[in-house]
Amino acid sequence: MPKNNRTPGVALAATAAISLLASACTGSADSRATDDPNARTTLTFWHGWSAPGEVAAIEANIKSFEKKHPNITVEIVKGITDDKLNQALRAGGSNAPDVVSSFTTDNVGRFCTTGALADLKPYLEKSGIDPSKTFLPQMARYTEHEGRRCAVPLLGDAYGLYYNKKAFEEAGITAPPKTLSEFDEVAKKLTKPKGDGYEQLGFMPSFQGYETTFEHYASQFGVEYFDAEGRSNLAEDPAAKALLIWQKNLADKLGGHKKLEKFRTGLGDEWGPKHPFHTGQVAMQLDGEWRGRMATDADLDFEIGAAPFPVPDDQVADYGKGYLSGTILGIAKVSKKQNAAWELVKYLSTDTDAVVSFANAIHNVPSTVAALKSPQLIDDPLYRTFVDIAQHPQSAHAPSSVNGGAFLLTAQDLGVRHESGREKDLDAGLRKTDAQVDKDNEQAR
């Protein structure tokens, strides 16, 4: 399930988590665990899932692990936020977890550089596991930072385009758009104004909308966030400027920032049955694989389709790609039971039956190559669209950063200012954004 939507409240929470994690000093990187993984022991596993079905699914996998490792008992703590996780990793002590998962993929760089999570390379080598071959390569890349692997993927998320088939049919649209110019025309055609609002909006492009963030758009444009020296590169990358211009132009075509914002603030909750895509208020939605299951549970009165999100017209050869994210799994550096903890991490992240059953249960994308090929993986066409997006060679997550996801929030802020018309000089805004990102990264080192 997604945990990267950057609405203002989430942005503040993410910033706080990054700031807290920045102060973490949790031991030297060359320490070695000495515990006996075959001895009777108890591990503490912290995770963020809270929905009943999700909690039941991870607990089922833990029970399967305990059957295979009868000497290890796992105590599970659910619903853990990144704030609480970061505090525990910083403080250590007897109440700290041994194994942790996080939905904030953007924080991998910070987890690795602070030493909050143990280096998994020795454990992977000891077990004969090559991350680039075992895991989907795109997911393997977003769980390491500058050659240091402090996490492994535990299922993933792929983003694409959901569309209301009934609205498409009524508008005479026969297929989902592949390029952004086609997408703009479809979004306009599907939009039905009503008074100072909308009876139906073709697409909500706002940077404060559900999942329509700079980061998610950037994957379609192929934005290069940093140059070879690690400095922010947005002002020098034509793709970043093209993204911001396209987004604002589409917002203007659909009624303008003020009208869209007024409509947006009256929409239903992202995680409830009144999501605007469910209610038909919005005809197309950028979202992840979980939305298909949620739409089914909402018992919609129309059929939905799914396709890759469109790409810029000059990148049509790369159509099929999308933004990737996912849950990460690691061992707390403060843990005194790292060898036993590795057995749990290895099982949850690489055992094919465990990965497939968990993916099927919570409707996420498998993170191992073997699981993606498994005949046991659900074959729902909507879901399979996102499995295909995840495997596209150009699908990717944003690069890891020493300052976690702070650089993405800074780019997002620029997008909000530009969309609203408060940033009059886009080139100057991009340069200011680069300067702020570089300053923040330098302070985080």
Side-chain angles (χ1 to χ4, degrees):
M1 189 173 272
K3 305 297 172 184
N4 284 318
N5 190 35
R6 301 196 178 277
T7 58
V10 173
L12 289 173
T15 302
I18 291 165
S19 298
L20 178 62
L21 189 56
S23 62
C25 294
T26 52
S28 62
D30 59 356
S31 62
R32 292 291 183 267
T34 58
D35 66 292
D36 180 1
N38 297 311
R40 185 166 297 279
T41 190
T42 298
L43 297 174
T44 302
F45 172 42
W46 283 14
H47 69 74
W49 289 285
S50 57
E54 296 171 337
V55 171
I58 189 64
E59 288 179 350
N61 267 8
I62 294 298
K63 288 181 181 178
S64 295
F65 168 78
E66 289 175 331
K67 287 182 180 179
K68 291 190 174 185
H69 298 267
N71 62 301
I72 301 177
T73 299
V74 182
E75 293 185 350
I76 307 171
V77 182
K78 66 180 180 180
I80 294 294
T81 65
D82 265 23
D83 280 349
K84 187 170 184 178
L85 172 60
N86 294 332
Q87 290 172 357
L89 293 176
R90 178 189 179 201
S94 59
N95 294 324
D98 299 294
V99 176
V100 301
S101 67
S102 170
F103 300 130
T104 313
T105 320
D106 297 336
N107 269 347
V108 167
R110 175 56 62 188
F111 281 131
C112 289
T113 55
T114 62
L117 298 182
D119 182 4
L120 298 184
K121 184 178 179 181
Y123 299 101
L124 289 159
E125 290 179 344
K126 177 179 64 176
S127 300
I129 297 173
D130 182 344
S132 66
K133 295 179 180 179
T134 301
F135 303 111
L136 189 66
Q138 298 91 318
M139 295 182 185
R141 284 194 288 273
Y142 69 56
T143 46
E144 66 176 351
H145 176 70
E146 295 181 347
R148 180 179 175 85
R149 176 164 293 285
C150 66
V152 290
L154 176 58
L155 305 189
D157 294 321
Y159 282 69
L161 179 70
Y162 286 96
Y163 58 97
N164 182 326
K165 285 190 173 183
K166 180 180 178 182
F168 266 47
E169 182 179 356
E170 291 176 348
I173 302 167
T174 58
K178 293 185 176 182
T179 66
L180 289 177
S181 62
E182 293 172 353
F183 179 74
D184 290 0
E185 291 304 311
V186 168
K188 286 172 58 181
K189 199 170 186 178
L190 291 169
T191 296
K192 301 176 181 178
K194 182 179 181 181
D196 60 353
Y198 304 90
E199 176 185 342
Q200 174 181 278
L201 179 64
F203 178 73
M204 173 57 76
S206 170
F207 278 120
Q208 297 183 85
Y210 297 148
E211 305 297 342
T212 48
T213 66
F214 184 94
E215 182 179 8
H216 296 168
Y217 286 144
S219 64
Q220 304 309 103
F221 282 82
V223 171
E224 295 287 342
Y225 290 92
F226 300 103
D227 64 19
E229 285 70 46
R231 299 187 66 81
S232 187
N233 188 57
L234 297 183
E236 299 298 322
D237 183 11
K241 185 175 181 179
L243 184 166
L244 293 165
I245 292 173
W246 164 77
Q247 186 274 342
K248 181 170 175 27
N249 285 344
L250 179 56
D252 290 343
K253 291 175 184 177
L254 298 180
H257 173 75
K258 289 184 178 180
K259 184 174 181 178
L260 289 170
E261 278 300 286
K262 182 178 180 180
F263 183 68
R264 184 187 66 80
T265 56
L267 298 175
D269 178 67
E270 181 173 8
W271 308 118
K274 297 301 183 181
H275 184 290
F277 181 69
H278 297 173
T279 61
Q281 292 168 285
V282 175
M284 295 188 294
Q285 178 69 42
L286 170 60
D287 223 324
E289 73 287 337
W290 60 85
R291 180 58 55 190
R293 172 70 61 84
M294 296 180 78
T296 299
D297 292 344
D299 193 24
L300 308 186
D301 61 1
F302 56 87
E303 187 179 356
I304 65 173
F309 197 80
V311 294
D313 290 35
D314 61 354
Q315 297 185 44
V316 67
D318 289 336
Y319 176 72
K321 67 179 178 177
Y323 174 80
L324 297 183
S325 185
T327 305
I328 62 172
L329 187 66
I331 299 172
K333 188 61 183 293
V334 295
S335 172
K336 304 299 183 184
K337 308 169 185 177
Q338 291 187 21
N339 286 320
W342 168 246
E343 294 302 319
L344 177 58
V345 169
K346 180 173 65 173
Y347 176 79
L348 292 177
S349 64
T350 67
D351 183 277
T352 300
D353 289 340
V355 173
V356 171
S357 65
F358 196 27
N360 286 346
I362 71 171
H363 218 65
N364 278 185
V365 175
S367 40
T368 67
V369 174
L372 286 162
K373 296 178 180 178
S374 171
Q376 302 304 315
L377 190 64
I378 53 179
D379 59 0
D380 170 64
L382 285 176
Y383 173 76
R384 285 288 182 164
T385 296
F386 294 88
V387 170
D388 291 342
I389 292 170
Q391 296 180 84
H392 192 287
Q394 296 302 316
S395 292
H397 184 75
S400 63
S401 167
V402 66
N403 203 21
F407 73 101
L408 297 168
L409 298 180
T410 305
Q412 176 86 348
D413 288 343
L414 171 62
V416 172
R417 296 197 310 274
H418 180 251
E419 173 189 354
S420 66
R422 290 184 286 118
E423 183 62 72
K424 304 295 185 183
D425 188 334
L426 181 54
D427 290 322
L430 287 163
R431 291 192 296 270
K432 286 186 292 185
T433 298
D434 283 341
Q436 185 64 52
V437 169
D438 290 338
K439 179 181 177 182
D440 292 343
N441 285 350
E442 188 59 35
Q443 291 176 345
R445 294 184 189 281

